C-alpha cells in the first residue's frame, strides 16, 4: 500500500512539475484545499546507551540548543539503556530519577526501553516511566494490568509541517528469552520474539509518511531486522544495545541504520527529506558530545546538585597505576570477590564490568559502583573441576560478552572465531599446571551469574547477604593494596 501511494504521488508531482520550473512546487490537496510542499523535512537527534552519564548531559544540552535554533522541529530521542552506570543516579534515594529529570529538562520526545531500564525492579521502573514527560516504547513486552507503566508499543508523531511519523520499538532477548538483566527483575514481565513482533507493526506504514524502528537489539541484529522487512516499507532504524559507533551511512535493504556508541560519546544527527511521491532522502552524521567544551549552564546546575554526595566521593584506596582495559579491571574485581568470600576461585562475567579504564590515584565508592552498578549479591557454589568447566562453557553462550575473568585460575578458550562458537575450554592452576578436574573447589561469583547459568551440578549454590560492591569496598577498607594489573593475564583466547 505504501508503494502504491508513492507511485500515485509521483504521477501527481510529474503533472505539476510540467506546469512550473520553480523548486517550490506544491501539490494541491483536493479535500482540504491546502497546498503541501513537495519536499518536507524531519530532523532527529538520537542517543543510545547513555547509562546515566549525568556529567556529559550539559554538553548534550548545549548541542541540542544549537541544533534546535537551526531545526526548530527537531526530535530528540533515545534508543534505550538510559539507566545503570552512574552511582549518583543508581544509588539516588529515588533510584534512576536523576537521568529522567535531566531528560525531562532537555525535552526528550521519546525513548525505547533498554534492558537496563529493568535493573531497579518493576516498581522503580513503573515510577520512572510515570515521572518521564516523554513516552517509552517497546512492542514485544507486556506486564500485569495492575501495573501502570507508561510504555506503548509504538508512538505516532505529527510535525508542524504535517509529516506523520510512526516509531516502533523492540528489545533484544537472550538465550532465556529475556532482556539482559537479573531474572528477578523480570518476574512480572512477558516477552515475545522481537523479529516476529516487529513484522506485526508494518501496517503503520500506511498510516504515516515515515516508519521508524527505534530498537534495542544491537547493530548486527538491526541489519538482520532490516533484511527481514519487505522493501520500501521501513525508512529508518535507530539502534542501541551493542554500543556500536556508526559513523558512516549504513544502508541495508534500503533502510538507514544508525547507532551512536554509548555514554554520550556521540549523538546521531539524522535528516530525512520526504518527497511528495513518497520517496525519502536520508542522511546521517555522528556528532561528538563528550569531547565538546561548551555546556548549558542550567543543565550543569542540575547535574551539580545530583553530584553533591560526600559519601560517594569518599576515598577508600589508592591505585598505583592506570587500569587500561576492562580485562584489567575484571581481574581486580575477581581478586576482591575471591578475598571477600574466602573462595578458592572466583569468576567475573565481562558484562558485569561497566567501564573500560580507570586512572591511577584516588579510588572512591563512586569508582567501585561505576564499575559494578548492578547491586548483585555475592554467591558461592562448590564445584568439581568438571562442573566448573561446564559452568564457564555455559556462561559463554548465556552472556553477550562471552568470556569470564578469574582469580585463582587460568582459562584458555579456543573459539571458531574471536567471539562466536566455543570449541574448547581448558582450566589451569595459577602456576600454569592443569587443574585437578576431580577435586572440589569453592567458587565465588555474582548472584546474577549463578541465576542464569544452566548445567547439572550437585550444589545449587547460595547467594550471600552482601553485594559484590559491598564486599569489594570492605576488602579495600580493610587495607588491601591495589596492585598494577597491566601485566596480569589469566584469560587466553586462541593463543
Amino acid at each position: 500500500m505504501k508503494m502504491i501511494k508513492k507511485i500515485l504521488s509521483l504521477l501527481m508531482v510529474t503533472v505539476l512539475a510540467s506546469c512550473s520550473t520553480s523548486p517550490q512546487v506544491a501539490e494541491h490537496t483536493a479535500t482540504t484545499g491546502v497546498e503541501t510542499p513537495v519536499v518536507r523535512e524531519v530532523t532527529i537527534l538520537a542517543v543510545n546507551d547513555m547509562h546515566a552519564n549525568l556529567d556529559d548531559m550539559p554538553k548534550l544540552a548545549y548541542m541540542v540548543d544549537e541544533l534546535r535554533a537551526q531545526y526548530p522541529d527537531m526530535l530528540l530521542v533515545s534508543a534505550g539503556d538510559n539507566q545503570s552506570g552512574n552511582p549518583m543516579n543508581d544509588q539516588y534515594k529515588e533510584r534512576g530519577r536523576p537521568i529522567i529529570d535531566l531528560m525531562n529538562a532537555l525535552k526528550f520526545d521519546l525513548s525505547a526501553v533498554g534492558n537496563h531500564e529493568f535493573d531497579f525492579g518493576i516498581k522503580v521502573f513503573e515510577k520512572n516511566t510515570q515521572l518521564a514527560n516523554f513516552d517509552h516504547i517497546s512492542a514485544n513486552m507486556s506486564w500485569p494490568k495492575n501495573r501502570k507503566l507508561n510504555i506503548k508499543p509504538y508512538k505516532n508523531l505529527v510535525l508542524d509541517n504535517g509529516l506523520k511519523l510512526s516509531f516502533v520499538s523492540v528489545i533484544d532477548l537472550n538465550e532465556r528469552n529475556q532482556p539482559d538483566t537479573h531474572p528477578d527483575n523480570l518476574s512480572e514481565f512477558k516477552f515475545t520474539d522481537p523479529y516476529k513482533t516487529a513484522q506485526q507493526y508494518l501496517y503503520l506504514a500506511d498510516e504515516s509518511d515515515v516508519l521508524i524502528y527505534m530498537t534495542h537489539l544491537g547493530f548486527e541484529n538491526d541489519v538482520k531486522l532490516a533484511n527481514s522487512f519487505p522493501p520500501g516499507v521501513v525508512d529508518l532504524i535507530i539502534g542501541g544495545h551493542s554500543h556500536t559507533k556508526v559513523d558512516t551511512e549504513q544502508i541495508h535493504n534500503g533502510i538507514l541504520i544508525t547507532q551512536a556508541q554509548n555514554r554520550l560519546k556521540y549523538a546521531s544527527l539524522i535528516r530525512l527529506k520526504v518527497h511528495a511521491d513518497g520517496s525519502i532522502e536520508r542522511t546521517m552524521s555522528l556528532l561528538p558530545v563528550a569531547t565538546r567544551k561548551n555546556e548549558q549552564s542550567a543543565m550543569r546546575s542540575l547535574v551539580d546538585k545530583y553530584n553533591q554526595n560526600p559519601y560517594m566521593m569518599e576515598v577508600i584506596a589508592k591505585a598505583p597505576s592506570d587500569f587500561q582495559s576492562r580485562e584489567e579491571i575484571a581481574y581486580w574485581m575477581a581478586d576482591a570477590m575471591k578475598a571477600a568470600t574466602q573462595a578458592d576461585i572466583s569468576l567475573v562475567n565481562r558484562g558485569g564490568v561497566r567501564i573500560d579504564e580507570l586512572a591511577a590515584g584516588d579510588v572512591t565508592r563512586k569508582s567501585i559502583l561505576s564499575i559494578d552498578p548492578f547491586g548483585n549479591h555475592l554467591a558461592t557454589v562448590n564445584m568439581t573441576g568438571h562442573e566448573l568447566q561446564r559452568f564457564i562453557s555455559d556462561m559463554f553462550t548465556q552472556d553477550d560478552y562471552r568470556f569470564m575473568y578469574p582469580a585463582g585460575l587460568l582459562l584458555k578458550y579456543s573459539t571458531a572465531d574471536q567471539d562466536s562458537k566455543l570449541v574448547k575450554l581448558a582450566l589451569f592452576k595459577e602456576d600454569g599446571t592443569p587443574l585437578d578436574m576431580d577435586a572440589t573447589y569453592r567458587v565465588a561469583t555474582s548472584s546474577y551469574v549463578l541465576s542464569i547459568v544452566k548445567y547439572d551440578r550437585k550444589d545449587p549454590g547460595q547467594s550471600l547477604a552482601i553485594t559484590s560492591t559491598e564486599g569489594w569496598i570492605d576488602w579495600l577498607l580493610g587495607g588491601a593494596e591495589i596492585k598494577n594489573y597491566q601485566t596480569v593475564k589469566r584469560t587466553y583466547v586462541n593463543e
Side-chain angles (χ1 to χ4, degrees), residues 45-53 60 77-83 108 111-112 214-216 218-219 222 238-246 258-268 286:
L45 188 68
V47 297
N48 58 272
D49 301 276
M50 292 190 290
H51 291 293
N53 181 5
L60 178 65
V77 302
S78 168
D81 271 9
N82 307 316
Q83 300 288 355
F108 268 75
S111 178
M214 190 162 67
T215 68
H216 201 79
F219 181 77
D222 282 336
I238 300 171
H241 190 44
S242 58
H243 301 181
T244 305
K245 179 184 177 183
V246 178
T258 71
Q259 193 172 155
Q261 203 164 348
N262 67 337
R263 293 186 178 274
L264 290 178
K265 296 182 181 74
Y266 301 94
S268 299
L286 196 65

Side-chain angles (χ1 to χ4, degrees), residues 59-321:
K59 297 176 181 179
L60 178 65
Y62 193 94
M63 173 186 287
V64 169
D65 287 345
E66 287 184 321
L67 291 170
R68 281 179 175 153
Q70 187 175 358
Y71 311 111
D73 292 335
M74 184 184 76
L75 300 176
L76 179 60
V77 302
S78 168
D81 271 9
N82 307 316
Q83 300 288 355
S84 283
N86 183 348
M88 302 311 195
N89 174 79
D90 305 343
Q91 302 299 322
Y92 190 69
K93 58 185 177 181
E94 295 175 82
R95 298 187 71 185
R97 176 159 187 171
I99 191 63
I100 297 293
D101 285 348
L102 299 186
M103 292 175 73
N104 284 342
L106 206 44
K107 297 182 180 178
F108 268 75
D109 293 285
L110 199 59
S111 178
V113 171
N115 53 297
H116 289 293
E117 266 66 70
F118 298 90
D119 284 350
F120 308 141
I122 190 169
K123 291 182 179 179
V124 175
F125 190 10
E126 178 182 43
K127 185 174 182 179
N128 284 336
T129 65
Q130 293 171 350
L131 287 170
N133 295 336
F134 51 90
D135 287 322
H136 287 76
I137 56 171
S138 187
N140 63 321
M141 57 181 285
S142 60
W143 52 90
K145 292 182 178 179
N146 64 309
R147 294 292 185 186
K148 306 300 180 185
L149 288 91
N150 180 25
I151 303 173
K152 302 174 181 178
Y154 66 92
K155 178 74 173 182
N156 292 328
L157 297 173
V158 181
L159 303 185
D160 289 344
N161 62 13
L163 276 178
K164 298 178 181 178
L165 313 179
S166 290
F167 287 82
V168 185
S169 185
V170 288
I171 187 171
D172 186 50
L173 306 182
N174 56 30
E175 297 288 334
R176 303 177 306 283
N177 292 314
Q178 294 179 326
D180 287 324
T181 186
H182 198 296
D184 290 352
N185 299 328
L186 302 171
S187 60
E188 296 188 48
F189 291 96
K190 294 181 179 179
F191 301 92
T192 58
D193 183 277
Y195 304 100
K196 293 179 180 178
T197 303
Q199 303 292 330
Q200 297 171 11
Y201 290 87
L202 293 175
Y203 73 89
L204 291 169
D206 292 326
E207 301 177 5
S208 59
D209 300 298
V210 181
L211 178 55
I212 300 168
Y213 277 70
M214 190 162 67
T215 68
H216 201 79
L217 292 174
F219 181 77
E220 295 300 327
N221 288 334
D222 282 336
V223 173
K224 175 182 174 181
L225 180 66
N227 288 329
S228 75
F229 289 139
V233 178
V234 177
D235 303 297
L236 170 66
I237 295 176
I238 300 171
H241 190 44
S242 58
H243 301 181
T244 305
K245 179 184 177 183
V246 178
D247 54 5
T248 58
E249 291 180 4
Q250 293 284 328
I251 306 290
H252 296 267
N253 193 25
I255 301 169
L256 176 65
I257 303 176
T258 71
Q259 193 172 155
Q261 203 164 348
N262 67 337
R263 293 186 178 274
L264 290 178
K265 296 182 181 74
Y266 301 94
S268 299
L269 183 66
I270 305 157
R271 300 200 62 204
L272 309 177
K273 293 183 178 182
V274 183
H275 294 261
D277 66 353
S279 65
I280 299 178
E281 295 178 51
R282 292 156 295 184
T283 60
M284 64 78 62
S285 55
L286 196 65
L287 306 181
V289 178
T291 56
R292 291 173 64 94
K293 302 299 182 183
N294 295 325
E295 295 186 341
Q296 186 199 77
S297 58
M299 185 67 72
R300 170 48 60 191
S301 296
L302 286 173
V303 171
D304 287 345
K305 180 186 71 172
Y306 289 122
N307 280 336
Q308 290 174 0
N309 190 329
Y311 179 75
M312 285 291 175
M313 300 310 297
E314 180 185 349
V315 176
I316 58 176
K318 298 277 187 179
S321 53

Side-chain angles (χ1 to χ4, degrees), residues 415-432:
T415 62
D417 51 55
Q418 183 65 22
D419 271 358
S420 63
K421 185 178 180 181
L422 182 64
V423 175
K424 182 180 179 181
L425 174 67
L427 281 57
F428 298 86
K429 298 177 183 178
E430 288 184 306
D431 62 7

